[in-house]
Amino acid sequence: METTLRGVGVSHGVAIGEVRHMGTAVLEPPAKQIPEEEAEREQGRARQAVEAVAADLIARGNLAGGEAQHVLEAQAMMAQDPELIADVDRRIAVGSTAERGIYDAFAAYRALLANAGEYLAGRVADLDDVRNRIVARLLGVPMPGVPDSDEPYVLIARDLAPADTALLDPTLVLGFVTEEGGPTSHSAILARALGVPAVVALPGAGEIAEGTVVAVDGSTGEIFVEPSDEKRAEMESAAAARKAALSASTGPGATSDGHKVPLLANVGGPADVPAAVAAGAEGVGLFRTEFLFLDDSKQAPTEAKQIAAYRAVLEAFPEGRVVVRVLDAGADKPLDFLTPADEPNPALGVRGLRSLLDHPDVLRTQLTALSKAVEGLPVYLEVMAPMVADRADAKAFADACREAGLQAKFGAMVEIPSAALRARSILQEVEFLSLGTNDLAQYTFAADRQVGAVSRLQDPWQPALLDLVALSADAARAEGKSCGVCGEAAADPLLACVLTGLGVTSLSMGAASIPYVRATLAKYTLAQCERAASAARATDSADEARVAAQAVLSGE
């Protein structure tokens, strides 16, 4: 009998197939004591396992490339954290086995992250995966991970670690469903990059029996268990129609009446550029430069290394627009040479622009590298600061850009509600705004972007969030300046129409989402988008906003 479940759709598309469950996690190793003379040997075993797992994560990242590579390299750094390894050594020195020392040390670190709030709590799943891989290696048991199957299937898991998501084979894994996670979790971001339909934050998904046929709609978040023949035919027909529409839609982003809405790509470095170009991106709306810095948390990359990475991206978009976000360190991206180690709540502390203003040499080197990287290239470079709170922040950043001799437009990200509320003041110092809707939602609703339990408040359809977008867009329009969206909200085709109706002037997203957004925008006039935006803002919940916008656009 067909039943319907609803989670959060995070990656477009339809998948119909039998369920396979993720491999079980490693069991807790026994807490037995070892003789003192065995401690050194056990410490060596622990270190060898850590290095082997780190090497495996890096190798997986090299195979996956793109954003997945950056995520897995960060996970490898987590495995090799010196303080964590020191804690393992201490536990083994007082009698723990290598596997038990790893298990207990990671448990202590896990508790710290879980209580840190905001971004760091969202790294718990990544940490658990590293622990399981190390313990599995020490115990000599199979690694937890994606099941073996010769037939295509729908994968169900409690959560998916980046190491597993990055290497999913789209020819076998038709789609995936997780009980935890949120729309901006690593799994969601990597699913969109892979183009695999995905639904997250679906409590009880793990109770669906192995082999059960399910139909997954990655756009609506609906899961149909044992779908009827009629439902399967309906979803397959809709998927075919969507694919045809995508193939027919090409060229720059625009509404049906010719209102231009440039569609840009979010990238983490040169490896992400080919997919962006293939998708028809009109430029880059968010170049996340922090991934370059995460290669070595002990020191900043040299100016020469930065110039090479920046130029590789800039060269790919002649006559296009490339928006570079300067280093956004702190919170879930700590760097030993930059961010404080003892902040009680890093996401509310010294992060983003605050870190850079405390370390002007790091900011100066990056701005100088960008200035040199763009020399002689026919590209429109724009540089923006993360975590701008007020006009003083915006002025400090603009001054630093000018002092570095940077010939580019300077902008500010709107990720803090104060920046949206005072957007017109901030625009006295900078030339454009870019809305990071992931963080803006997190700070507006006090809802950790990685915690599935509060995903309702992370939904970018929340009317309060739309109000803040409208405030920012109105301020930019009044000042004759631009206001784009580079958060994951831009990847939702229906919401992209609403954002356009709110006055947003460009949309930036993962490359895989660009064709969907282009095709949807092309179906509606600007006036329809404006009416849909007004209808969405007039509601009191995200679900109501989505339904209201859809009703307007469908002519109901």
Side-chain angles (χ1 to χ4, degrees), residues 65-66 201 211 222 228 241 253 376 408 467 528 537:
E222 292 175 306
S228 64
D467 288 344
Q528 286 177 297
R537 290 183 67 192

Side-chain angles (χ1 to χ4, degrees), residues 15 17 26 52 61 73 92 97-98 112-113 142 170 175 187 197 200 218 240 257 330 420 444 446 477 541:
V26 176
E73 287 174 350
I92 294 175
T97 60
L112 289 174
L113 290 186
S187 292
V200 301
D257 55 341
T444 298
R477 186 186 300 112
S541 74

Side-chain angles (χ1 to χ4, degrees), residues 393-544:
D393 279 351
K395 183 179 187 305
F397 177 65
D399 287 346
C401 290
R402 282 187 284 267
E403 288 169 9
L406 186 61
Q407 298 298 308
K409 284 188 176 181
F410 317 141
M413 289 199 71
V414 177
E415 300 166 286
I416 303 173
S418 63
L421 293 168
R422 301 290 295 173
R424 196 159 184 181
S425 170
I426 287 171
L427 284 166
Q428 304 310 303
E429 304 294 343
V430 295
E431 298 171 79
F432 69 93
L433 300 177
S434 183
L435 288 139
T437 51
N438 307 343
D439 268 328
L440 185 57
Q442 173 171 255
Y443 291 126
T444 298
F445 297 103
D448 190 330
R449 58 190 280 190
Q450 299 290 343
V451 176
V454 293
S455 61
R456 175 181 73 85
L457 297 172
Q458 264 292 327
D459 192 325
W461 280 93
Q462 285 285 356
L465 188 66
L466 299 181
D467 288 344
L468 293 175
V469 173
L471 279 173
S472 302
D474 287 346
R477 186 186 300 112
E479 294 295 328
K481 297 179 178 180
S482 62
C483 176
V485 169
C486 63
E488 292 301 319
D492 179 335
L494 182 61
L495 185 50
C497 295
V498 168
L499 295 172
T500 298
L502 291 173
V504 166
T505 56
S506 65
L507 299 166
S508 189
M509 64 209 76
S513 297
I514 291 175
Y516 290 92
V517 173
R518 182 192 294 118
T520 304
L521 268 177
K523 292 164 58 178
Y524 306 108
T525 65
L526 176 59
Q528 286 177 297
C529 292
E530 290 172 341
R531 289 197 295 274
S534 295
R537 290 183 67 192
T539 64
D540 294 312
S541 74
D543 287 342
E544 291 174 359

Side-chain angles (χ1 to χ4, degrees), residues 168-257:
L168 290 180
D169 182 351
T171 63
L172 284 177
V173 180
L174 302 171
F176 68 76
V177 181
T178 66
E179 294 191 63
E180 299 180 352
T184 58
S185 65
H186 278 155
S187 292
I189 292 170
L190 294 178
R192 284 189 285 270
L194 287 166
V196 176
V199 173
V200 301
L202 180 67
E207 297 172 11
I208 301 174
E210 186 93 358
T212 301
V213 174
V214 297
V216 179
D217 189 325
S219 299
T220 66
E222 292 175 306
I223 308 295
F224 301 94
V225 181
E226 298 288 7
S228 64
D229 290 343
E230 292 79 9
K231 175 58 70 176
R232 293 179 66 155
E234 175 190 327
M235 294 184 71
E236 288 169 350
S237 175
R242 187 180 299 161
K243 184 176 181 180
L246 292 179
S247 299
S249 178
T250 58
T255 57
S256 63
D257 55 341

